[in-house]
Amino acid sequence: MNPEKAYAELVRLSRDETVLSSCVDLLEWDQEIYMPRDGVEHRSDQSALLAGLVHDRGTNPRYGELLSAIEGSDFISDPDSPEAVNVRELRRGYDRDCKIPRRLVQELARATARASKVWAQARKENDFKSFAPWLDKVFALSREEADAVGHNGDRYDALLEDYEPGMTAEKLSALFTRLSADLVPLVDSLRGQEAPPNVLEGNFDLDRQRVFTDSIVSAMGFDFDGGRFDLAQHPFCTMIGPGDVRIGTRYFQNHIGRGIFAGLHEAGHALYEQGLDRAHYGTPMGEAVSLGIHESQSRLWENLVGRSEGFWLHFYPQLQGSFHEAFQDVSLETFRRAVNRVEPHLIRVEADEVTYNLHIIVRFELERALLSGDLAAADVPGAWNEAYQRYLGVTPKDDRSGCLQDIHWADGLIGYFPTYSLGNVFSAQIFSAAEAAIGPLEDAFAEGEFLELRRWLGDNIHRHGMRYRSEALIERVTGNSPDPSALIESLSQRYRSNAGTSAGRA
Ligand code: ZN
């Protein structure tokens, strides 16, 4: 087969598959935002039918023939060319899909649907015992999946590959050991810090919160002609296609911080999607690198931009204008300290940016032990509580606020948690590289100027799609391999000075 023709057909197959799967995404978006409750049954029929079609296309043997025709020729010379990247990544996805037997795919889907239901009930009733057999079942099936995909002795690597291609458990373990060695003492040193007045709680009009958040994401460069913001039960961001990136977010009447920062977080994801190269839509060159890199974009805007002094120098007067009663007597410094408050507690999704990574390290340790068989599901509550005491100095009073808090394992998402912390690690490295290239950014933020940072991220990260794996991309952009020092330095600098000015004590 002529390799050029084979490549053209390969791109067509990949585009068609992506377009079809974007219809599933649109149905899911509608289900979150608009669908009436009674539509759920017909919607699951629609989604299941389309998901089956997407799966059939993904495992079409024609992929194998076309890929072999290209790989056996001298059609590709430069390993970083779009053609090489597309062939490399399509081969990876195709092989993976073909290696997992259809029976296992269906069994996983059934078991995780059931396990998620049992988990929701168990969490409500604080009854871990009823969930334990399902947790064992999900991990047993995940072991089967890892073995089907193949690995070099560590099954965890095979699962991780799905979310963070190229990353391994060993590398993660080394990175997290360094991260926790510095984070635990940092958290300890902040423990005695006088808590800032909690000015984020009160009564805040939801519409005004939405208008204020819209003005922030406009300043960040979110393109409202190529995207939407809607109200949803849980924050999310989904790309339907070029020119159509949608965010769902939620505001809380009694807390002004949660909605704004969730909006900034999702907008960070959306800028990445809007910054992908449209010419490559439907192929790996037009897709995000990994979950870790995706999360680095959301965390960068949420934490490194959104919690900075410069950012609030610009936006706080507007916030005071919108919520005059709540903030007329609150100084900028008091407000800034309130959005930078550190306090170890039990719930991951409510954690501040300093303690957050310790929540992830606990989950990484436990899911590795569960997968290897060193830990049985029945022993999870004890292991969980011990790890929380060791890393965060707190012990859950029940499993609801302990090992039953996250849906991920019930949903079969094993190897997913670490990408949250990788995102934090990468975000600090990327932000520091951006400042090295552009100059200090806080002064620009104080002027309401965010577009230069957005452009730099677009040039250095977004437009490359999957050209480089996450580690290679970080090395290219920052000059260093993935490394927690930038995050530790950034957190120490910002939070230690916080403690110093607030309490004025050693
Ligand atoms: Zn995110």
Side-chain angles (χ1 to χ4, degrees):
M1 198 183 318
N2 171 333
E4 270 137 63
K5 279 194 180 145
Y7 182 75
E9 189 181 337
L10 184 72
V11 167
R12 267 201 309 280
L13 275 186
S14 174
R15 287 226 167 99
D16 284 354
E17 189 190 333
T18 310
V19 171
L20 187 64
S21 115
S22 76
C23 299
V24 180
D25 298 336
L26 186 58
L27 288 181
E28 281 173 1
W29 176 85
D30 175 75
Q31 186 166 349
E32 280 289 321
I33 307 291
Y34 278 128
M35 191 189 78
R37 212 179 48 192
D38 290 354
V40 70
E41 220 165 293
H42 182 61
R43 180 54 41 88
S44 13
D45 288 347
Q46 291 176 311
S47 298
L49 181 64
L50 281 175
L53 292 177
V54 172
H55 183 261
D56 290 347
R57 283 186 175 250
T59 51
N60 181 349
R62 186 69 181 155
Y63 267 119
E65 293 164 23
L66 297 168
L67 284 164
S68 299
I70 301 162
E71 288 158 343
S73 74
D74 52 8
F75 175 67
I76 288 164
S77 47
D78 173 6
D80 289 336
S81 68
E83 292 80 8
V85 172
N86 286 338
V87 168
R88 179 189 78 207
E89 293 302 325
L90 288 170
R91 165 60 79 189
R92 190 175 64 82
Y94 175 71
D95 282 355
R96 190 181 177 96
D97 286 350
C98 291
K99 281 179 188 163
I100 308 176
R102 205 186 171 95
R103 170 202 60 80
L104 184 56
V105 173
Q106 287 168 333
E107 214 172 321
L108 265 165
R110 261 198 306 274
T112 52
R114 189 69 205 282
S116 304
K117 268 198 184 141
V118 175
W119 165 81
Q121 192 67 20
R123 184 168 82 147
K124 212 164 117 195
E125 291 166 4
N126 191 37
D127 172 21
F128 181 80
K129 271 208 175 83
S130 66
F131 177 56
W134 286 97
L135 191 58
D136 271 330
K137 171 93 180 157
V138 171
F139 272 89
L141 289 171
S142 300
R143 275 193 282 275
E144 263 191 69
E145 183 188 344
D147 289 340
V149 172
H151 51 82
N152 293 326
D154 194 336
R155 289 180 171 126
Y156 195 86
D157 292 348
L159 303 180
L160 196 55
E161 181 75 11
D162 216 10
Y163 310 115
E164 199 67 27
M167 188 50 72
T168 66
E170 203 181 303
K171 286 188 217 167
L172 271 180
S173 182
L175 198 129
F176 286 169
T177 302
R178 288 187 52 204
L179 188 58
S180 66
D182 287 332
L183 271 182
V184 171
L186 176 63
V187 171
D188 269 344
S189 75
L190 300 177
R191 218 177 281 270
Q193 190 184 342
E194 189 185 311
N198 200 351
V199 294
L200 302 179
E201 281 178 17
N203 186 7
F204 303 95
D205 181 74
L206 293 173
D207 248 358
R208 268 185 268 166
Q209 289 191 52
R210 188 182 53 73
V211 170
F212 178 71
T213 307
D214 279 3
S215 78
I216 294 178
V217 301
S218 287
M220 285 164 60
F222 178 79
D223 174 10
F224 276 91
D225 288 331
R228 299 178 52 89
F229 248 78
D230 292 277
L231 295 178
Q233 278 305 307
H234 306 283
F236 69 94
C237 170
T238 182
M239 182 193 187
I240 305 299
D244 192 350
V245 175
R246 306 187 185 196
I247 291 174
T249 195
R250 184 177 179 189
Y251 300 99
F252 297 85
Q253 185 119 21
N254 61 1
H255 195 292
I256 193 159
R258 291 172 71 184
I260 292 174
F261 283 99
L264 270 156
H265 180 100
E266 297 308 329
H269 282 304
L271 291 184
Y272 189 5
E273 298 286 350
Q274 289 187 333
L276 292 168
D277 188 342
R278 285 180 184 209
H280 290 298
Y281 172 75
T283 66
M285 273 298 293
E287 276 169 36
V289 183
S290 69
L291 290 187
I293 295 292
H294 227 307
E295 195 68 5
S296 77
Q297 299 306 290
S298 56
R299 299 284 173 161
L300 183 143
W301 288 100
E302 177 190 356
N303 293 329
L304 292 149
V305 179
R307 295 183 202 277
S308 71
E309 187 161 13
F311 181 88
W312 287 108
L313 267 170
H314 177 71
F315 281 111
Y316 191 55
Q318 291 182 33
L319 188 76
Q320 280 180 312
S322 303
F323 299 94
H324 188 69
E325 263 177 45
F327 293 123
Q328 59 178 337
D329 296 327
V330 176
S331 70
L332 170 63
E333 179 55 17
T334 300
F335 180 80
R336 199 190 61 80
R337 286 187 53 221
V339 298
N340 284 284
R341 180 179 174 166
V342 177
E343 192 186 2
H345 56 77
L346 299 166
I347 308 295
R348 176 184 62 86
V349 296
E350 291 168 14
D352 57 78
E353 64 166 327
V354 181
T355 56
Y356 189 90
N357 299 295
L358 296 173
H359 292 259
I360 297 304
I361 291 170
V362 168
R363 286 154 177 78
F364 172 66
E365 278 186 10
L366 296 191
E367 66 183 10
R368 266 190 99 186
L370 278 162
L371 192 72
S372 71
D374 287 348
L375 179 67
D379 299 326
V380 164
W384 183 282
N385 295 354
E386 183 276 321
Y388 261 76
Q389 189 56 48
R390 183 157 40 93
Y391 282 116
L392 286 136
V394 291
T395 301
K397 61 180 187 331
D398 55 28
D399 294 334
R400 200 188 340 230
S401 54
C403 62
L404 279 173
Q405 64 182 276
D406 297 307
I407 193 176
H408 297 58
W409 291 340
D411 219 5
L413 300 175
I414 295 149
Y416 189 109
F417 279 122
T419 66
Y420 292 127
S421 273
L422 277 180
N424 284 328
V425 166
F426 295 161
S427 73
Q429 286 186 276
I430 291 169
F431 191 78
S432 135
E435 286 208 305
I438 306 172
L441 289 165
E442 290 250 353
D443 292 348
F445 297 165
E447 298 293 316
E449 164 51 50
F450 302 95
L451 296 182
E452 203 171 349
L453 174 60
R454 197 252 151 112
R455 254 193 306 277
W456 186 89
L457 293 170
D459 286 345
N460 288 280
I461 294 176
H462 305 168
R463 74 182 172 88
H464 293 295
M466 294 187 87
R467 191 190 295 268
Y468 312 105
R469 292 268 166 89
S470 57
E471 269 184 286
L473 180 67
I474 291 299
E475 265 166 43
R476 239 184 95 86
V477 172
T478 72
N480 288 308
S481 48
D483 185 325
S485 337
L487 178 63
I488 291 293
E489 204 181 299
S490 163
L491 292 173
S492 306
Q493 213 178 38
R494 288 182 289 137
Y495 286 89
R496 284 230 162 89
S497 70
N498 226 11
T501 55
S502 65
R505 59 184 174 191

